[in-house]
Amino acid sequence: MNFTYFYEQAVKRHGKPLVQQRLPKVATAEQLVARSDNDYLAEITRCVFRAGFAWQVIERKWAGFEEAFAGFLPLYWQQVPPERLDALAQDERIVRNPQKIATVPVNARMLVDIAEQHGSFGQFLANWPSAEQHLLLAYLKRHGARLGGTAAQHVLRRVGWDGYILTPDNLTALKNHRLLDASPYSKRGAAQIQHWFNQWHEATGLPYSHLSRILSMSIDVRG
């Protein structure tokens, strides 16, 4: 499937200037490495709390999250005392969801383990090719907490790692053109999606995140 079709549909719906304006910024490898693991844990936590919730509420309260989680230091949160988590479940500075609060130690432990092997989580991301995003998503889901669905995809987009997001519009576009015939979260479906994004990247030279946004805009405005 030639990606030119999707680009032309996006331009037809929104106009070329708006399409270009909405293309996500892609971080360089150096910028990914420069981010601290504290910052990565914060972004992971932000996306976990935003999933299935009104994201505007999380954004309004985010300064309180930063205070309550004391800067998101992974080395501390990976072995945080249980009573600290219990206290957070009563802390009005944040959204008091015990299940989501409990993801912080798990995700902190994942970052610490990765840092021990790769130097930092940023280095880990900088070394992981976008052509294998589906494997990265599987890794984060397996080793982290509540990083299935699109949660990890949104984390990657927020930090500037070059990848796609499986928005409803993107999935609709893929299915409408018979490019996806399995669940997007099955191994078969994930491989099919990666295959098409790899083909389009090779053909156009566009970043994966730009392909994702354009594909989405060929249907609607998200992605």
Side-chain angles (χ1 to χ4, degrees):
M1 180 73 189
N2 193 318
F3 194 76
T4 300
Y5 168 82
F6 297 111
Y7 178 74
E8 290 176 346
Q9 288 299 306
V11 169
K12 182 179 178 180
R13 284 176 176 272
H14 306 285
K16 187 173 182 180
L18 189 57
V19 170
Q20 294 298 318
Q21 178 184 334
R22 288 178 170 163
L23 296 179
K25 293 182 179 180
V26 179
T28 64
E30 291 76 14
Q31 289 170 329
L32 291 172
V33 173
R35 277 182 178 261
S36 70
D37 284 352
N38 303 29
D39 189 38
Y40 282 113
L41 181 58
E43 291 297 348
I44 288 171
T45 304
R46 188 197 301 258
C47 289
V48 166
F49 272 84
R50 283 176 51 153
F53 200 78
W55 66 265
Q56 298 94 332
V57 174
I58 304 303
E59 294 307 309
R60 283 199 300 268
K61 296 177 75 74
W62 190 248
F65 275 83
E66 294 279 4
E67 293 175 0
F69 286 96
F72 291 98
L73 182 65
L75 284 171
Y76 171 76
W77 287 102
Q78 69 159 341
Q79 52 187 4
V80 63
E83 54 268 23
R84 182 71 187 277
L85 298 180
D86 292 339
L88 285 169
Q90 307 300 321
D91 195 325
E92 294 184 355
R93 292 175 295 179
I94 68 172
V95 172
R96 292 166 290 175
N97 183 309
Q99 291 76 29
K100 292 191 175 185
I101 291 170
T103 67
V104 176
V106 179
N107 290 324
R109 201 148 41 239
M110 176 182 69
L111 295 191
V112 171
D113 289 343
I114 287 173
E116 288 177 352
Q117 299 177 53
H118 301 273
S120 69
F121 188 69
Q123 188 67 62
F124 170 77
L125 289 184
N127 290 340
W128 199 294
S130 297
E132 296 180 359
Q133 177 179 340
H134 65 309
L135 300 180
L136 174 58
L137 296 176
Y139 180 97
L140 296 175
K141 179 181 179 180
R142 183 167 65 252
H143 294 282
R146 294 206 174 202
L147 292 178
T150 60
Q153 297 167 32
H154 283 287
V155 173
L156 297 174
R157 176 65 60 82
R158 285 187 62 87
V159 302
W161 191 85
D162 186 25
Y164 49 79
I165 296 180
L166 300 182
T167 65
D169 296 326
N170 278 344
L171 293 176
T172 296
L174 291 167
K175 291 174 181 177
N176 282 353
H177 294 274
R178 299 182 180 180
L179 305 180
L180 177 65
D181 63 9
S183 165
Y185 298 105
S186 67
K187 287 185 178 180
R188 175 182 171 85
Q192 288 177 346
I193 293 165
Q194 188 72 65
H195 165 78
W196 287 110
F197 275 96
N198 289 350
Q199 277 209 356
W200 294 331
H201 173 71
E202 291 173 8
T204 66
L206 292 173
Y208 286 73
S209 60
H210 290 192
L211 295 168
S212 175
R213 180 60 58 82
I214 293 167
L215 180 64
S216 182
M217 293 181 72
S218 73
I219 299 293
D220 203 336
V221 297
R222 297 174 293 279

